[in-house]
Amino acid sequence: DLNLTAPEVQRDIRRPNSPTTALGLVVLMLRRRREQGKEPPIIISCDNVMKNGVHLRQKVLAIASAQGDDGLRSWIEERVHFPCT
């Protein structure tokens, strides 16, 4: 699970438009694509972790949810794909 109390994650939650973590940057990019009405991208984790797409999706959703943007969270859940590689 994502440690939502980690200082860098807390900073990304409080300041969603200036993220300091890779996950915060992914959430910001997804927010901007949604605001611009663009199609959602496919987010691929290129590592050798089992079920990496599942883990990445959970963490991205956790940050979006913690930022209080329920519309973004729903959009990510419904439209963004995180395949396992």
Side-chain angles (χ1 to χ4, degrees), residues 58-85:
Q58 290 170 342
K59 289 169 178 56
V60 167
L61 288 171
I63 290 182
S65 182
Q67 289 176 347
D69 192 338
D70 292 334
L72 178 61
R73 181 186 167 88
S74 295
W75 184 80
I76 293 169
E77 283 182 312
E78 295 169 10
R79 310 224 22 227
V80 180
H81 298 282
F82 297 83
C84 295
T85 58

Side-chain angles (χ1 to χ4, degrees), residues 4-85:
L4 292 172
T5 63
E8 60 276 8
V9 174
Q10 279 293 304
R11 185 179 186 290
D12 285 358
I13 291 168
R14 288 190 310 274
R15 296 182 176 188
N17 290 318
S18 58
T20 58
T21 68
L23 290 170
L25 187 60
V26 170
V27 173
L28 173 60
M29 178 269 307
L30 290 171
R31 179 182 303 106
R32 288 184 178 167
R33 287 188 70 96
R34 179 176 170 254
E35 289 170 351
Q36 295 169 358
K38 294 183 177 179
E39 287 296 312
I42 296 171
I43 309 293
I44 298 174
S45 178
C46 297
D47 57 30
N48 61 354
V49 175
M50 295 289 291
K51 298 185 180 181
N52 54 6
V54 173
H55 296 294
L56 179 57
R57 180 178 190 271
Q58 290 170 342
K59 289 169 178 56
V60 167
L61 288 171
I63 290 182
S65 182
Q67 289 176 347
D69 192 338
D70 292 334
L72 178 61
R73 181 186 167 88
S74 295
W75 184 80
I76 293 169
E77 283 182 312
E78 295 169 10
R79 310 224 22 227
V80 180
H81 298 282
F82 297 83
C84 295
T85 58

